[in-house]
Amino acid sequence: DTAVSQTPKYLVTQMGNDKSIKCEQNLGHDTMYWYKQDSKKFLKIMFSYNNKELIINETVPNRFSPKSPDKAHLNLHINSLELGDSAVYFCASSQVFSPGNTIYFGEGSWLTVV
Amino acid sequence: AQKVTQAQTEISVVEKEDVTLDCVYETRDTTYYLFWYKQPPSGELVFLIRRNSFDEQNEISGRYSWNFQKSTSSFNFTITASQVVDSAVYFCALNAGGTSYGKLTFGQGTILTVHP
């Protein structure tokens, strides 16, 4: 079983649409994250949830809204998609929220906005 | 603020060569953690190693070894006898305290291509 799984893996959609990416972890971790990888491969954190509570909210347009129904799930909803939102979105998790904890990543979701 | 620099954008080697990927970091925290991740062509991010700032012992795992030197703020990664399957993008990352608490700061990545 994949430890951190996210769906869909590939998503092609038109500008202006609303889309969601789902993420689930079966590691029993308390903390989950969304990271974004741009076209130059640069990785940056977007959000983090600890036990369903939002604890990190980087400078991200409010068109991006994370939701954590329980600590094993963290979904990412994006409204009014723009061309610049095209990227790879990685879900991740760690046992607890601590710099020393290893963060494990999912396989990524490739979003292309046309 | 914390920063990670991987000065080598791309490295190309022939199979069986040894290759070292450089990583230099900046942080004001005395307690911090360094990581290496691998992103193969299939795209996933694979955790390779974690090292804390109090443990400067080098580590070896098979063909992989890591050299952590606080004096030069470096955490370099060496692959011995490289193989085609080692071709990937390798990321060095830092996690520390302060305003960056809990946030992995990644370097720009080094694209390693191993030719047969």
Side-chain angles (χ1 to χ4, degrees):
Chain A
D1 281 345
T2 305
V4 182
S5 59
Q6 46 185 115
T7 55
K9 183 160 185 177
Y10 300 102
L11 184 54
V12 180
T13 188
Q14 291 190 325
M15 272 196 310
N17 282 352
D18 303 339
K19 289 293 176 187
S20 291
I21 306 172
K22 295 186 176 182
C23 178
E24 175 182 5
Q25 54 96 2
N26 62 7
L27 296 166
H29 288 171
D30 286 348
T31 309
M32 296 186 72
Y33 311 80
W34 280 107
Y35 278 77
K36 178 181 179 180
Q37 185 174 43
D38 64 22
S39 57
K40 295 184 179 178
K41 299 281 189 186
F42 185 66
L43 282 149
K44 193 173 188 316
I45 191 168
M46 299 173 69
F47 303 103
S48 177
Y49 272 73
N50 190 56
N51 280 317
K52 302 192 299 175
E53 298 294 325
L54 180 66
I55 51 173
I56 294 176
N57 186 351
E58 289 294 275
T59 309
V60 176
N62 58 14
R63 298 181 295 102
F64 290 77
S65 53
K67 282 200 172 65
S68 182
D70 55 64
K71 73 174 192 177
H73 296 84
L74 178 61
N75 303 323
L76 182 65
H77 188 75
I78 315 170
N79 288 328
S80 303
L81 279 155
E82 300 177 358
L83 292 176
D85 298 331
S86 296
V88 184
Y89 293 87
F90 284 97
C91 179
S93 73
S94 63
Q95 190 164 11
V96 295
F97 182 62
S98 166
N101 257 232
T102 298
I103 296 176
Y104 295 95
F105 288 82
E107 296 184 337
S109 293
W110 270 250
L111 172 64
T112 303
V113 182
V114 297
Chain B
Q2 48 192 44
K3 185 179 177 183
V4 176
T5 302
Q6 295 177 253
Q8 304 148 309
T9 306
E10 290 192 54
I11 300 176
S12 182
V13 298
V14 177
E15 231 179 355
K16 297 184 184 175
E17 282 186 40
D18 298 348
V19 57
T20 295
L21 310 182
D22 297 333
C23 172
V24 173
Y25 62 91
E26 294 175 32
T27 179
R28 293 180 180 173
D29 295 291
T30 54
T31 301
Y32 52 89
Y33 300 84
L34 295 161
F35 302 81
W36 276 94
Y37 287 86
K38 173 183 180 180
Q39 187 173 34
S42 48
E44 70 271 27
L45 274 169
V46 179
F47 164 71
L48 294 178
I49 190 170
R50 178 189 69 195
R51 174 66 72 212
N52 75 55
S53 53
F54 298 109
D55 183 0
E56 284 195 74
Q57 281 196 343
N58 290 334
E59 175 137 353
I60 298 175
S61 175
R63 296 184 296 106
Y64 294 172
S65 62
W66 290 268
N67 183 344
F68 175 33
Q69 291 199 339
K70 285 178 80 168
S71 59
T72 54
S73 297
S74 64
F75 186 42
N76 297 337
F77 173 28
T78 297
I79 301 174
T80 303
S82 59
Q83 299 176 1
V84 172
V85 293
D86 295 327
S87 296
V89 184
Y90 290 87
F91 292 95
C92 181
L94 167 69
N95 205 338
T99 56
S100 298
Y101 187 93
K103 305 174 190 176
L104 267 178
T105 298
F106 283 89
Q108 305 92 314
T110 297
I111 302 171
L112 173 65
T113 304
V114 182
H115 299 281

